[in-house]
Amino acid sequence: MRVYGRDSAVKLVHDFMIRDAGAATSPVVIFVGPRGSGKTALLTRLGEMLDQNVPYARVDFADLPTSPICDVLDVLAFELNRHCAAYGRIAFPRFIVGRIVMAAQVDHTDPAAARAQIDRVIEEHRKLPQLRAFLEGVTPRVLAAAGIPEEVGRPVPGLLLSGLTSWRAGRRIVLGGGQDWYVHQDRGLAGRKSLDVLAELNRRNRRPAIEGNRKWVDELMLAAFLADLRADFGEPGGRRSKRRPFNCVALLDNADNTSGRRFVDELVRAHEQRAADADDD
């Protein structure tokens, strides 16, 4: 779609944001035009309209020219929790479990010992101080990558933490569902335990130069991120949808560079995979 005016483009985005029982789509809309045609101005206008009304993220790939997909997802997770308190916090238990495991120092000499080590790491991060320390540890890197001033982004770890905290059985961190997802991955998979998959995630992430490892990690973590969004927003027409009548929005500027094209390609591929695995969604 070529950008000449803005009204029709804004309406198109609005129409795709609406959640109802008859429209369960999560489209990728690409606005095309030469430099100076107004693509960035359009995204700026959309951001102004979305702010404090719908959760949205703004990512400029000019600031992330060579960033891996997981780093882009970090920025999106932080940004989506900055702009719309009225929607409540968007928790990312599947994605955060994966990021915790990716950062762990694990000895894979003995597979059983590696699984036990990962299990201990996850268990430690069920405690509020440990998870808060983890989130605060990654915050400076994420804020720098997104160009977000530190004073603006400082509350985000607390927002993410509140989205992961259950008050029903005493204050505790809810990561179990996030870990369990790695068994089935919303694809009906079976036969492996979550710790097997998470051990493989850690091992592949530690060896990105080996062919296929980076792509495998990217696909798994993008799937986890999108599964978190589906769980947070609930099924169209459901009780949670009444409180969240619109989809969240990711505004991706300068997405025609290397990292931007890679991210968009993988996002489209993830949607296609989801459509193949869940015909009714």
Side-chain angles (χ1 to χ4, degrees), residues 132-151:
R132 181 183 293 278
F134 174 80
L135 294 173
E136 290 178 345
V138 302
T139 297
R141 174 180 58 79
V142 175
L143 297 182
I148 302 171
E150 183 178 351
E151 62 274 13

Side-chain angles (χ1 to χ4, degrees), residues 84-254:
C84 190
Y87 259 60
R89 304 306 169 207
I90 301 178
F92 290 95
R94 299 158 184 81
F95 180 69
I96 289 177
V97 164
R99 285 309 251 166
I100 290 170
V101 169
M102 288 171 67
Q105 297 297 315
V106 178
D107 182 356
H108 289 275
T109 305
D110 181 347
R115 292 192 296 270
Q117 190 174 348
I118 289 172
D119 192 31
R120 288 194 297 273
V121 168
I122 295 173
E123 189 61 33
E124 279 298 306
H125 284 84
R126 294 181 194 276
K127 302 171 185 176
L128 282 170
Q130 282 81 350
L131 185 55
R132 181 183 293 278
F134 174 80
L135 294 173
E136 290 178 345
V138 302
T139 297
R141 174 180 58 79
V142 175
L143 297 182
I148 302 171
E150 183 178 351
E151 62 274 13
V152 175
R154 191 179 297 120
V156 175
L159 300 180
L160 285 167
L161 197 63
S162 67
L164 292 165
T165 304
S166 169
W167 298 88
R168 286 176 296 181
R171 198 177 187 199
R172 61 188 180 87
I173 300 300
V174 181
L175 292 179
Q179 179 178 343
D180 293 343
W181 176 85
Y182 286 88
V183 177
H184 54 80
Q185 298 174 34
D186 292 335
R187 297 167 58 192
L189 302 179
R192 298 182 70 185
K193 297 183 182 299
S194 64
L195 290 176
D196 293 327
V197 180
L198 290 168
E200 185 175 3
L201 172 62
N202 179 274
R203 179 176 57 80
R204 285 181 180 261
N205 183 62
R206 297 276 296 277
R207 302 173 179 175
I210 296 178
E211 185 177 359
N213 276 3
R214 176 51 56 201
K215 182 175 177 58
W216 188 93
V217 170
D218 286 343
E219 289 178 350
L220 181 65
M221 294 305 293
L222 181 55
F225 184 91
L226 295 175
D228 281 330
L229 286 180
R230 287 196 301 272
D232 267 305
F233 279 78
E235 295 299 325
R239 180 176 60 84
R240 191 178 304 188
S241 290
K242 294 177 181 178
R243 294 188 292 112
R244 295 179 171 178
F246 295 101
N247 287 314
C248 61
V249 179
L251 304 174
L252 310 179
D253 202 0
N254 291 302

Side-chain angles (χ1 to χ4, degrees), residues 32-104:
V32 178
R35 185 178 297 275
S37 61
K39 301 186 297 297
T40 296
L42 170 62
L43 296 187
T44 298
R45 176 59 178 152
L46 287 169
E48 292 170 351
M49 297 175 70
L50 294 168
D51 194 31
Q52 299 307 313
N53 293 306
V54 177
Y56 80 97
R58 175 76 181 269
V59 174
D60 188 346
F61 281 99
D63 298 327
L64 304 165
T66 60
S67 295
I69 284 175
C70 283
D71 286 359
V72 178
L73 295 174
D74 286 340
V75 175
L76 290 174
F78 273 63
E79 281 271 277
L80 286 171
N81 276 285
R82 284 208 308 131
H83 292 298
C84 190
Y87 259 60
R89 304 306 169 207
I90 301 178
F92 290 95
R94 299 158 184 81
F95 180 69
I96 289 177
V97 164
R99 285 309 251 166
I100 290 170
V101 169
M102 288 171 67

